[in-house]
Amino acid sequence: MHSQAPERNLGLDLVRVTEAAALASARWLGRGDRNAGDKAAVDAMRLSFNAVDIDGVVVIGEGEKDEAPMLFNGEAIGTGRGPRMDVAVDPVEGTRLLAYGRPNAISVVAMAPRGTLYNPGPAFYMQKLAVPREARAVVDLDAPTADNLKNIARALGKDVDDLVVFVLEKPRHEGLIREIREAGARIQLHTDGDVAGALMAVLPDTTVDVMMGTGGTPEGVLAAAAIKVVGGEMLGRLDPQSERERRALLDAGYDLQRVLTVDDLVASEDVFFVATGITGGDFLGGVHFTGTGAVTHSLVMRGKTGTVRKIEAHHSFDRLMQISSIDYD
């Protein structure tokens, strides 16, 4: 008989999954082949899930948008002997970052009880606004950019020109970038990696205060799992980038005007989020090969307890040794 709620920290099982994906894909750092690095991560992740005691189903897979290798939606994962869980995966978030040796490529898994993760269906893109706990009550997706930045700065005890905004460097953001600059805030432009961007916006000890702009809808659900644990907020609205996507959403009954909150995207407090750095970056170190093994850096988050754990692990041929684990309340 299946239990309905996990009682132990399954995040510590999931971190072995993201570590395996990161270790496999890191061999493709800077080699210019997006699909090869992604496939290595997918294969390692799928194999590692075979040892996790969950009755899991992939509700957000990866690869469908860009025809990369995938852990497909509806795929059963885990041993089948544990709690019934929805699983969202991105074996390599930032395949271009990995292929060209750029920072902030990560391997990511989020998990929550069955039926509690938002199903993006045919939605590939979502407008997002992610902020830390202190600013969660002062943002409005329909407010002018300058007003949101002014309110965020006040909530964080800063001036607007102290703020750093994470924005994906895409043609669709030309207007947004202009508005941020006119408001006086600073900008970090990134080619890819909006899960990492959302994490940087809500976690302490990063250089980012807020994330704005349109990115992937599946990545939005993944990020929402982490944001829920730390008490931040992400407002989102489906933002189709083609007439075909817009029509598919309307035909499937999605409301394109609805503003989604973190609680809409993740409807359970019993959520887990795990990420392991692949290329290294602002908040997670990358895979470092030592000659006799490798070192990985991971983030493990559990919603029920609000625990955020950073783990540095040494890997060798026949064993894994965890040498550093730090909890943040």
Side-chain angles (χ1 to χ4, degrees):
M1 178 177 178
H2 295 300
S3 59
Q4 296 303 307
E7 296 180 354
R8 70 182 191 280
N9 188 353
L10 289 169
L12 297 178
D13 297 323
L14 295 179
V15 74
R16 296 178 176 87
V17 174
T18 56
E19 285 173 347
L23 287 164
S25 60
R27 291 294 185 184
W28 293 93
L29 173 69
R31 294 172 64 180
D33 191 335
R34 293 175 56 191
N35 282 349
D38 203 23
K39 183 179 187 304
V42 169
D43 291 345
M45 183 171 277
R46 179 180 282 119
L47 182 63
S48 296
F49 263 119
N50 290 339
V52 180
D53 282 332
I54 58 169
D55 178 4
V57 62
V58 176
V59 296
I60 295 177
E62 68 89 45
E64 183 176 357
K65 182 168 64 178
D66 54 7
E67 299 180 353
M70 349 175 19
L71 274 154
F72 59 85
N73 288 1
E75 180 173 348
I77 55 176
T79 65
R81 295 192 294 268
R84 301 175 68 240
M85 305 296 283
D86 285 347
V87 183
V89 303
D90 200 342
V92 179
E93 203 260 332
T95 54
R96 275 188 293 263
L97 301 178
L98 172 61
Y100 297 107
R102 296 170 183 157
N104 294 323
I106 57 178
S107 180
V108 187
V109 172
M111 189 168 71
R114 186 70 52 84
T116 61
L117 291 184
Y118 179 78
N119 181 1
F124 290 144
Y125 292 96
M126 174 188 287
Q127 180 187 2
K128 307 171 195 175
L129 172 57
V131 293
R133 176 191 296 268
E134 295 84 356
R136 62 184 175 183
V138 303
V139 288
D140 181 345
L141 202 59
D142 292 316
T145 299
D147 289 354
N148 272 323
L149 291 173
K150 181 171 63 177
N151 292 334
I152 292 166
R154 184 183 299 116
L156 298 180
K158 298 183 176 185
D159 295 327
V160 171
D161 60 5
D162 295 330
L163 296 179
V164 175
V165 185
F166 179 105
V167 181
L168 290 177
E169 189 176 11
K170 307 292 183 183
R172 62 180 177 265
H173 289 149
E174 288 179 1
L176 173 63
I177 291 168
R178 182 171 59 251
E179 291 169 2
I180 295 169
R181 288 171 174 164
E182 289 173 352
R186 299 174 295 155
I187 302 175
Q188 277 192 17
L189 291 174
H190 293 254
T191 58
D192 300 275
D194 61 340
V195 173
L199 288 172
M200 286 188 279
V202 302
L203 292 174
D205 304 322
T206 76
T207 58
V208 171
D209 299 291
V210 53
M211 184 194 75
M212 290 181 164
T214 292
T217 307
E219 289 86 349
V221 179
L222 277 160
I227 293 170
K228 183 152 189 168
V229 175
V230 298
E233 182 60 278
M234 184 170 67
L235 303 179
R237 180 162 46 210
L238 301 182
D239 189 13
Q241 297 297 295
S242 69
E243 178 59 27
R244 179 179 180 181
E245 182 183 354
R246 189 185 75 85
R247 178 50 53 191
L249 287 167
L250 292 175
D251 289 347
Y254 284 83
D255 181 356
L256 301 187
Q257 302 305 312
R258 180 186 177 190
V259 175
L260 299 161
T261 68
V262 161
D263 289 338
D264 294 320
L265 296 171
V266 182
S268 172
E269 297 295 329
D270 199 10
V271 61
F272 299 89
F273 176 90
V274 179
T276 299
I278 302 172
T279 62
D282 293 344
F283 70 105
L284 276 177
V287 175
H288 172 59
F289 291 104
T290 65
T292 59
V295 181
T296 57
H297 303 86
S298 301
L299 190 68
V300 182
M301 309 173 76
R302 186 184 187 189
K304 183 176 280 189
T305 60
T307 302
V308 178
R309 176 177 287 120
K310 287 190 174 182
I311 295 177
E312 178 182 288
H314 283 197
H315 305 257
S316 64
F317 290 114
D318 57 353
R319 65 190 180 95
L320 174 145
M321 179 178 64
Q322 177 183 312
I323 64 170
S324 178
S325 177
I326 307 171
D327 291 346
Y328 298 91
D329 293 331

